[in-house]
Amino acid sequence: MKNIFSKNLFLLLLYLLVSCTSPDASIPVITPTPPVTPTPPVTSLTWTNDSHLKALYATVKMQNGVEVGTVGVYADYPLYHVVTAQGEGFTCVDDVSRAALFYLNETDIATNKEKQDRLLKLTEFVLQMQADNGYFYNFLQDNFSINKTYTTSIAGPDWWSWRALWHLSEAYTFYKTNDAVLAGRIQTSIQKIVANIKRDFGGLPNDTTIVNGLTVPKWLPANSGTDQAAVMMLGLYNVYQQNPDAEVLAIINKLADGILLMQQGSDTLFPYNAFLSYESTWHAYGSDQAFALLKVGKALNKQNWIAAAQKEVDNFYPYLIKEGFLESFEIQKTGSTILLVKKSSFAQISYGIRPMIWATIELYKINNDAKYLTQAAQILTWYVGNNPAKLKIYDKSNGVCFDGISSSTNVNKNSGAESTIEALWAFQLAEKYPDVLLEVKKYN
């Protein structure tokens, strides 16, 4: 695939300069960000390159006068200028929290002043987006006002609120020894949303319903949303670790129970121990159920959580690899027979690949079996051409990750925050395990 950027350093610096300037007339002129430190040369086993993420980043002053950090949700090929989606906005809590979590896990965050400044302003953005009701609005509009009415931006029990909780619960650990005042504000914010979770989910009965012959829970986000439940679990466990609370622990256990109920098939029968995402449907994006069960299960010594997650990693992931990966499927159960109602291979996106890499490496961390590093590498090669389109999706020379594969002959070459950060998350973790990247390098 022909690269859209030259590896020549001068052109790379020129790209950064142009991309950090907003030419889109729909977005007002933004406050210039501090000069960007040139990214060090990318070595053969260093794949995490945040150059494109820096280009998507900008500081703005919200209508209340507070300066915050943002990342562009959408950026169109070939120049990757940030654009706005009609009705939504140009940046959102969901992706700003992703970016903050990326920086929190950078190995040099304790000493890198530039990354610290970005983390600080990104965290401020999320704090400013919390509504009076304790949940979070999602989108910021072109005039730097909060979008309080669009479906994907309403302050309620939804993806962006759980992502904010996850981000803030990890940021609190970082700031409690570095900035006591900010840590206090973060803790206040966390307490508000945790109080909501206790009120809205803690007292729900363990009721179920039948969908397409399957017994599904009614006590998760969106009733049976195991994908959202996984993100909520990650945030709540951080909260519990920082301040043990029996009610929080009970909700974590209840979320896990709902996820386990949604595991279908067997080692040899479709869908091979997959955790369904919602009702009778599985979708690749946001499928962090196995990762959450492994990470939190290890911490809480929940062997049944670990065993269930291992079944998905051992059986469902190899099936997906063999299939060339999937976007989604829907099933129906009649008696003990599970039938495939429909299956879709596309679109394939970074957000659907990264969760499998995290879960597979997390399982390696638990049992130290090198086969999981091999499997993680197999999945990771999706980014470098081992995919239905046979094209490189992530370019380590500039940090661009395409938004997705639309078909075996068509790639969406736009590159917004979600795709970019999910790719960075994948390689950021993989770099801790050189054997994984050595395998990827063989393919590349």
Side-chain angles (χ1 to χ4, degrees):
M1 179 182 68
K2 184 178 180 182
N3 289 334
I4 61 173
F5 302 106
S6 171
K7 293 183 180 179
N8 179 277
L9 181 58
F10 170 77
L11 291 183
L12 176 57
L13 291 174
L14 181 60
Y15 160 72
L16 291 175
L17 178 61
V18 171
S19 297
C20 286
T21 303
S22 176
D24 191 292
S26 66
I27 301 178
V29 176
I30 57 179
T31 304
T33 58
V36 172
T37 303
T39 302
V42 181
T43 66
S44 60
L45 292 181
T46 302
W47 288 61
T48 306
N49 185 341
D50 69 342
S51 294
H52 185 56
L53 179 58
K54 290 177 184 179
L56 296 175
Y57 174 87
T59 57
V60 304
K61 282 191 176 180
M62 297 178 67
Q63 288 196 344
N64 62 4
V66 176
E67 185 180 60
V68 297
T70 68
V71 290
V73 177
Y74 306 104
D76 286 353
Y77 175 84
L79 296 179
Y80 295 122
H81 298 140
V82 174
V83 296
T84 300
Q86 184 69 31
E88 292 183 324
F90 73 96
T91 192
C92 69
V93 165
D94 222 4
D95 289 330
V96 167
S97 288
R98 276 188 175 95
L101 286 163
F102 167 74
Y103 284 119
L104 278 164
N105 285 283
E106 282 287 80
T107 56
D108 62 346
I109 187 61
T111 58
N112 189 310
K113 299 300 183 183
E114 181 186 321
K115 292 178 181 178
Q116 289 174 9
D117 181 70
R118 292 174 186 275
L119 173 61
L120 177 65
K121 289 184 173 66
L122 293 166
T123 300
E124 185 62 49
F125 172 84
V126 173
L127 291 172
Q128 292 296 322
M129 295 293 283
Q130 189 166 29
D132 291 339
N133 69 8
Y135 285 119
F136 291 80
Y137 298 112
N138 195 22
F139 277 93
L140 193 68
Q141 300 179 110
D142 294 350
N143 63 357
F144 307 143
S145 67
I146 298 172
N147 187 334
K148 298 182 179 181
T149 59
Y150 196 73
T151 305
T152 56
S153 194
I154 294 172
D158 218 319
W159 282 101
W160 44 95
S161 288
W162 318 139
R163 196 95 58 193
L165 173 62
W166 183 15
H167 158 204
L168 293 176
S169 63
E170 296 207 9
Y172 173 74
T173 300
F174 178 80
Y175 285 116
K176 70 179 179 179
T177 56
N178 299 317
D179 188 333
V181 173
L182 179 56
R185 292 177 60 210
I186 292 172
Q187 186 59 232
T188 298
S189 175
I190 289 172
Q191 289 172 358
K192 288 179 181 178
I193 188 172
V194 170
N196 282 4
I197 292 172
K198 289 179 177 180
R199 180 196 66 210
D200 296 342
F201 295 91
L204 291 178
N206 289 353
D207 289 344
T208 61
T209 189
I210 303 298
V211 178
N212 278 4
L214 301 165
T215 301
V216 303
K218 295 176 65 176
W219 64 86
L220 300 180
N223 291 330
S224 61
T226 62
D227 44 11
Q228 292 190 48
V231 179
M232 189 193 294
M233 275 183 67
L234 293 168
L236 285 178
Y237 175 70
N238 289 337
V239 172
Y240 176 75
Q241 189 177 38
Q242 294 155 9
N243 182 28
D245 180 327
E247 195 172 354
V248 170
L249 180 60
I251 295 172
I252 293 172
N253 280 287
K254 196 167 185 175
L255 293 171
D257 288 343
I259 294 174
L260 294 177
L261 184 60
M262 292 283 278
Q263 189 167 38
Q264 295 294 332
S266 68
D267 294 358
T268 57
L269 296 176
F270 183 83
Y272 308 110
N273 297 305
F275 295 107
L276 299 183
S277 306
Y278 173 76
E279 293 188 343
S280 58
T281 297
W282 173 87
H283 50 242
Y285 76 84
S287 286
D288 276 305
Q289 300 93 326
F291 172 70
L293 289 173
L294 289 166
K295 186 175 180 64
V296 182
K298 179 183 178 182
L300 296 178
N301 194 27
K302 298 287 188 177
Q303 295 302 315
N304 61 319
W305 299 3
I306 295 172
Q310 181 170 352
K311 287 182 178 180
E312 180 178 78
V313 174
D314 281 349
N315 301 288
F316 183 52
Y317 289 6
Y319 163 77
L320 290 175
I321 294 170
K322 184 178 178 180
E323 289 288 306
F325 302 101
L326 298 175
E327 176 202 40
S328 62
F329 60 77
E330 183 180 356
I331 61 174
Q332 178 177 320
K333 192 170 185 179
T334 303
S336 59
T337 302
I338 294 178
L339 301 175
L340 181 64
V341 176
K342 59 182 177 181
K343 181 173 71 172
S344 174
S345 296
F346 304 103
Q348 294 182 15
I349 60 176
S350 181
Y351 190 20
I353 300 298
R354 187 277 309 160
M356 292 190 289
I357 295 166
W358 273 20
T360 304
I361 292 179
E362 191 67 24
L363 188 53
Y364 168 77
K365 290 162 63 177
I366 291 173
N367 61 26
N368 204 36
D369 189 334
K371 74 178 184 180
Y372 294 113
L373 295 183
T374 300
Q375 179 167 295
Q378 281 182 291
I379 301 168
L380 198 61
T381 59
W382 179 89
Y383 287 100
V384 298
N386 189 17
N387 55 59
K390 303 302 181 186
L391 291 174
K392 184 191 298 183
I393 304 302
Y394 172 76
D395 189 340
K396 69 178 181 179
S397 73
N398 53 38
V400 168
C401 180
F402 294 150
D403 276 347
I405 301 173
S406 306
S407 71
S408 61
T409 58
N410 187 31
V411 170
N412 179 353
K413 294 184 178 181
N414 298 335
S415 184
E418 179 184 283
S419 299
T420 299
I421 301 167
E422 291 285 336
L424 292 176
W425 274 1
F427 285 99
Q428 183 184 57
L429 178 61
E431 283 178 4
K432 297 179 180 179
Y433 303 91
D435 288 347
V436 173
L437 290 181
L438 284 171
E439 289 296 316
V440 175
K441 186 181 178 184
K442 291 178 185 178
Y443 185 88
N444 196 50

